[in-house]
Amino acid sequence: MDMTALIADLDGLRIEENDKIVLQKSRDFYWYSPVLKRQLDHVAGDIVVSPKSEEELIRVLKACYRHNIPVTPRGTGTGNYGQAMPLSGGVVLSLADINDIREIAPGRVVCGPGVICSDLDKAARAESGQELRMHPSTAHTATIGGFIAGGSGGVGSISWGGLRDFGNIIRLRVVTMEEEPRVLELTGADLHKVTHAYGTNGIITEIEMPLTTAYDWVDAIVGFDSFDAAASYANALARQDGILTKLISVVSAPCPFDYFKRHQKFLTEGESVVLVMVAPQSHDAFKAFTARHSGRIAFDATTASAEDLKGLPPVFELSWNHTTLRALRVDPAWTYLQSLYPFPNQLALASKMDRMFPGELISHLEFVRFDGDITCFGLPLIRFTTEERLEEIMELHNAHGCPIFNPHRFTLEEGGMKQTDEIQLEFKRQADPKGLLNPGKMIAWDDPDYDFNSGEVWLFKGLKQAS
């Protein structure tokens, strides 16, 4: 790759060549997975380019196309699967500087991809009393563009479902990777071409998202003597149509007391907990419902003292993959899985998996609205011993009707439904004919004949290795 010629072509743009900074910007939270840490620890781009506008971004893409240099887009690198890691080197394209909020209106916001999710919420709340429908647990550091390109749901999914559900994104403006890049406006079904596509087939430069009424959500933690009791309560709470919640998460003992260090003084050793964000107008109903289910309200932000609240993270920063992060900070032997417990058997399936791996698995559920029903995703902690045992645990989940979305793979297909997304593949053919956007992340592009049922593992240098 002729990086010298490329840098000359990009004179005047913000370019970073320092090896240490480039390495830092080439990484995300891939190290949650010991498998990905082994595979990707050496990965780095050659330079980081940070355009400040769509015009500058188009200039970058044209130059990289001309010089056949790969481009890997990134926000702030809060993903967990190597989504934003440049497997083939080249340019790490940081979109963090395209961070202007362009319009806030009733029910919607228009902004650049680099806006931090919590900043977007703050601006919408201050101007119009609105907020995003959902955000990742990393809202204080994650960009809205990175959330759309790499995420699938999060805090708020208990009411609104997933990002790819119709209506949860209004419009995306996308630039293609061609000799003369096109600027496309995608709405409706066309949004699926680029959502959760890791930037493999277009670069998002403008986002229009729906907003909803903002509330001063009340953080609460409810304790139970067993995981099954906590899960049953959470499932019932999620189905209470009159109680408005934004988060309902179950974390089994011993994780809360051992790893939620800042909240530990509120917790009891051996208790499993339910993390809740409840709207203030539903707070009294929530307390009455909890009493009926014999839950112990271990923490309630409305009754905690100012001293107790000082330095305390929001409860959503104990949920989703923040649960994994807090465990890893104490004991690096942990990793995690992502699974679905399908409706209507979610409680029985979650209980079965909880009992199946004593000492190896700590259950963690996130209740969500999924295809119109309330069910839960699992993000259990897994004590890592060997890659072979990790694969065995995943296969046992699959065999018992709990599909795994593998967080120990960096490709779109292996981390998702293990099948080719024909819509995204076809759009890549049109938008990225040279395959320069985030190469190595879409198996269907590199190997259209790959058999997802063959028991093989895809490696990013175009090789296959028996698992």
Side-chain angles (χ1 to χ4, degrees):
M1 290 183 285
D2 191 350
M3 301 305 298
T4 301
L6 176 69
I7 291 170
D9 282 356
L10 299 180
D11 182 53
L13 300 187
R14 183 182 169 196
I15 298 174
E16 181 58 67
E17 299 180 71
N18 181 283
D19 288 343
K20 290 183 178 179
I21 297 176
V22 172
L23 179 62
Q24 176 192 353
K25 298 294 185 182
S26 298
R27 299 188 165 208
D28 60 12
F29 286 79
Y30 72 103
W31 49 267
Y32 276 29
S33 164
V35 179
L36 294 184
K37 181 169 175 55
R38 175 181 62 78
Q39 292 179 349
L40 305 181
D41 225 17
H42 65 286
V43 168
D46 292 281
I47 61 172
V48 179
V49 183
S50 302
K52 295 181 179 179
S53 65
E54 185 179 270
E55 292 72 25
E56 288 189 356
L57 182 140
I58 289 173
R59 183 180 164 194
V60 175
L61 295 183
K62 288 179 70 171
C64 289
Y65 187 92
R66 187 161 56 250
H67 293 286
N68 294 307
I69 292 176
V71 174
T72 301
R74 67 172 265 135
T76 50
T78 60
N80 306 117
Y81 330 116
Q83 298 108 307
M85 294 182 68
L87 303 183
S88 299
V91 168
V92 175
L93 182 70
S94 172
L95 300 172
D97 288 347
I98 308 179
N99 59 2
D100 54 324
I101 298 174
R102 298 164 190 177
E103 182 183 3
I104 296 173
R108 62 188 185 87
V109 61
V110 180
C111 65
V115 182
I116 300 297
C117 292
S118 62
D119 291 343
L120 197 54
D121 260 355
K122 289 175 187 175
R125 183 181 291 265
E127 184 167 324
S128 64
Q130 300 181 97
E131 65 183 17
L132 291 169
R133 289 181 174 181
M134 68 186 77
H135 61 73
S137 66
T138 52
H140 290 302
T141 51
T143 63
I144 187 66
F147 183 39
I148 290 168
S152 56
V155 183
S157 287
I158 185 59
S159 295
W160 298 101
L163 271 174
R164 296 192 76 183
D165 291 347
F166 283 116
N168 282 334
I169 302 170
I170 298 173
R171 177 179 60 86
L172 296 174
R173 187 174 170 95
V174 175
V175 177
T176 65
M177 183 60 160
E178 300 174 271
E179 184 175 8
E180 290 296 330
R182 291 172 291 151
V183 179
L184 307 175
E185 299 275 349
L186 304 182
T187 61
D190 285 341
L191 292 167
H192 290 163
K193 295 176 179 178
V194 295
T195 53
H196 199 70
Y198 299 0
T200 56
N201 56 10
I203 307 297
I204 298 169
T205 60
E206 184 172 89
I207 295 162
E208 186 172 356
M209 294 291 283
L211 298 176
T212 188
T213 303
Y215 295 107
D216 294 325
W217 298 96
V218 177
D219 284 355
I221 301 176
V222 184
F224 291 89
D225 290 338
S226 70
F227 167 72
D228 285 351
S232 177
Y233 162 83
N235 188 71
L237 177 62
R239 302 185 69 81
Q240 290 295 302
D241 294 333
I243 299 178
L244 181 60
T245 57
K246 193 172 183 177
L247 178 76
I248 301 176
S249 312
V250 178
V251 185
S252 180
C255 177
F257 187 82
D258 288 354
Y259 304 135
F260 294 171
K261 292 300 186 182
R262 293 190 187 177
H263 287 81
Q264 190 180 61
K265 60 186 173 183
F266 305 105
L267 305 174
T268 299
E269 191 169 6
E271 272 191 335
S272 296
V273 303
V274 182
L275 311 172
V276 181
M277 291 172 66
V278 61
Q281 68 271 23
S282 295
H283 188 226
D284 287 341
F286 157 74
K287 290 190 293 184
F289 181 83
T290 300
R292 180 174 292 181
H293 283 257
S294 302
R296 182 183 78 89
I297 298 182
F299 172 77
D300 185 321
T302 65
T303 57
S305 68
E307 184 62 28
D308 280 341
L309 293 174
K310 187 177 180 180
L312 205 63
V315 74
F316 70 73
E317 288 188 356
L318 305 177
S319 71
W320 292 88
N321 246 331
H322 260 78
T323 308
T324 311
L325 178 60
R326 295 190 184 280
L328 279 167
R329 283 175 173 170
V330 179
D331 184 351
W334 290 112
T335 186
Y336 74 112
L337 295 180
Q338 296 178 151
S339 62
L340 172 65
Y341 302 112
F343 178 87
N345 301 314
Q346 63 268 28
L347 291 181
L349 290 169
S351 180
K352 180 186 290 187
M353 295 301 102
D354 182 69
R355 297 190 305 269
M356 187 173 288
F357 307 99
E360 289 184 289
L361 180 149
I362 296 177
S363 290
H364 168 197
L365 309 178
E366 294 292 343
F367 280 83
V368 299
R369 185 168 294 279
F370 188 76
D371 288 340
D373 294 307
I374 296 295
T375 190
C376 51
F377 288 110
L379 285 88
L381 296 173
I382 302 294
R383 184 165 290 282
F384 180 76
T385 51
T386 66
E387 292 185 22
E388 291 75 18
R389 178 55 179 163
L390 184 63
E391 290 289 336
E392 186 178 10
I393 291 171
M394 287 190 283
E395 284 308 310
L396 285 167
H397 275 75
N398 285 322
H400 284 85
C402 306
I404 289 289
F405 307 92
N406 193 343
H408 306 283
R409 300 285 185 266
F410 51 75
T411 63
L412 285 163
E413 297 95 337
E414 290 176 300
M417 295 305 295
K418 301 175 184 64
Q419 62 186 20
T420 297
D421 188 321
E422 296 291 352
I423 293 173
Q424 292 185 347
L425 175 61
E426 178 55 32
F427 188 62
K428 185 172 178 69
R429 293 188 184 111
Q430 300 169 19
D432 181 25
K434 287 187 177 181
L436 294 173
L437 288 180
N438 206 356
K441 305 293 174 59
M442 185 185 286
I443 294 176
W445 176 266
D446 295 302
D447 185 0
D449 297 323
Y450 180 72
D451 180 4
F452 293 100
N453 297 313
S454 68
E456 295 179 321
V457 176
W458 173 264
L459 297 179
F460 62 84
K461 290 300 183 184
L463 302 173
K464 297 176 190 173
Q465 171 182 310
S467 62

